[in-house]
Amino acid sequence: MSERYGFSLTTFSPSGKLVQIEYALNAVNAGSPAVGIKALNGVVLATEKKSKSLLHDDRTIHKVEPICKNMGLVYSGMGPDYRLLVQKARKLAQEYMLIYEQNVPPTQLVKRVADVMQEYTQSGGVRPFGVSLLLCGYDYDEDRPFLYQCDPSGSYFPWKATAIGRNYVNGKTFLEKRYSDQLALEDAVHTAILTLKESFEGQMTEDNIEIGICDKEGFRRLTPAEVKDYLAQIA
């Protein structure tokens, strides 16, 4: 029955579903795994970054991206869709900065990005974004970190720790066993790497994973040398 409604985004199926959104979630679940973990003093984002060819020059291609000083994000799903959402998120953050002369609170930016994604679920002539996002940030007013997930439907959820992408169920199961509310940022980085290892194929190196951390100092992407040090610590 769902095939009859699968080509129309704006038409509900008799069971009350928008089938195109389910197809978008299939694209997310086929994407590279990504992990987010909130610690006491910050948030860690980590993801696989595998090149399709040895000839690729991937120095300018990143999956973990900064939005503004206090926020960053990672995705699972379709890369071009992610690039557009990164641009929109950065523009929204700068608009807030120009008006209020302070960094945007994470919760507000997540809601605005989710609004953009939701708009693409009820407009004619468009399709949903084929990505799920993990957004992290530090709220200076509340003096604590945040981790959110945004889905193609425009839904967003706060998390202590979560995984998206391929084998996300195994990732979440692993996190449920290893997560603690007293986790420090350094330990969260180790846990994120171990979570990726659960479904990682081949040898994990500093070239095929990417890690970003967000704390009171702001968001930054770890250098390959720093990632190599973390991998050596858990080897």
Side-chain angles (χ1 to χ4, degrees):
M1 177 69 76
S2 64
E3 285 78 6
R4 292 173 53 190
Y5 302 89
F7 294 103
S8 174
L9 171 61
T10 55
T11 304
F12 282 96
S13 70
S15 60
K17 298 178 180 178
L18 291 172
V19 184
Q20 282 294 315
I21 293 177
E22 294 189 358
Y23 294 161
L25 286 169
N26 290 341
V28 171
N29 295 336
S32 298
V35 178
I37 301 175
K38 185 175 72 170
L40 276 175
N41 54 334
V43 184
V44 177
L45 300 179
T47 185
E48 280 188 22
K49 181 191 173 186
K50 289 188 176 179
S51 296
K52 295 181 180 178
S53 169
L54 293 174
L55 301 178
H56 279 171
D57 183 359
D58 57 0
R59 287 174 295 179
T60 60
I61 301 173
H62 298 289
K63 297 185 69 177
V64 176
E65 292 281 2
I67 302 173
C68 54
K69 179 190 174 185
N70 64 319
M71 287 197 68
L73 76 170
V74 69
Y75 79 100
S76 185
M78 301 177 66
D81 289 12
Y82 173 63
R83 188 174 66 241
L84 179 63
L85 286 169
V86 170
Q87 291 173 353
K88 287 183 177 291
R90 286 174 175 166
K91 185 176 180 181
L92 290 167
Q94 289 305 309
E95 287 174 354
Y96 188 96
M97 174 65 79
L98 285 170
I99 296 171
Y100 301 106
E101 297 184 357
Q102 63 181 11
N103 291 305
V104 58
T107 304
Q108 288 199 34
L109 185 63
V110 168
K111 181 182 181 302
R112 295 181 187 190
V113 171
D115 287 345
V116 172
M117 298 178 78
Q118 193 278 334
E119 187 179 340
Y120 278 71
T121 68
Q122 60 177 34
S123 303
V126 299
R127 63 165 175 78
F129 288 98
V131 291
S132 281
L133 305 175
L134 294 180
L135 298 100
C136 69
Y138 200 93
D139 192 319
Y140 295 109
D141 293 331
E142 298 189 27
D143 194 29
R144 64 190 183 105
F146 284 90
L147 172 66
Y148 283 92
Q149 176 181 339
C150 279
D151 283 340
S153 63
S155 302
Y156 62 97
F157 320 92
W159 288 91
K160 294 179 179 178
T162 190
I164 58 175
R166 191 173 59 251
N167 293 324
Y168 73 96
V169 175
N170 292 340
K172 284 186 176 180
T173 302
F174 182 82
L175 286 168
E176 286 172 359
K177 296 175 182 176
R178 295 293 296 259
Y179 184 79
S180 164
D181 288 329
Q182 303 304 312
L183 202 64
L185 191 57
E186 288 288 306
D187 295 330
V189 175
H190 295 150
T191 303
I193 294 172
L194 291 170
T195 306
L196 287 180
K197 268 193 170 184
E198 284 290 294
S199 59
F200 199 87
E201 297 175 359
Q203 181 68 31
M204 184 179 283
T205 70
E206 67 274 16
D207 297 319
N208 55 26
I209 67 168
E210 226 172 49
I211 300 174
I213 60 173
C214 183
D215 56 18
K216 207 166 187 176
E217 303 300 316
F219 179 86
R220 69 184 183 92
R221 187 191 304 119
L222 297 186
T223 64
E226 289 175 307
V227 175
K228 186 176 182 180
D229 289 341
Y230 280 113
L231 287 172
Q233 292 172 19
I234 64 171

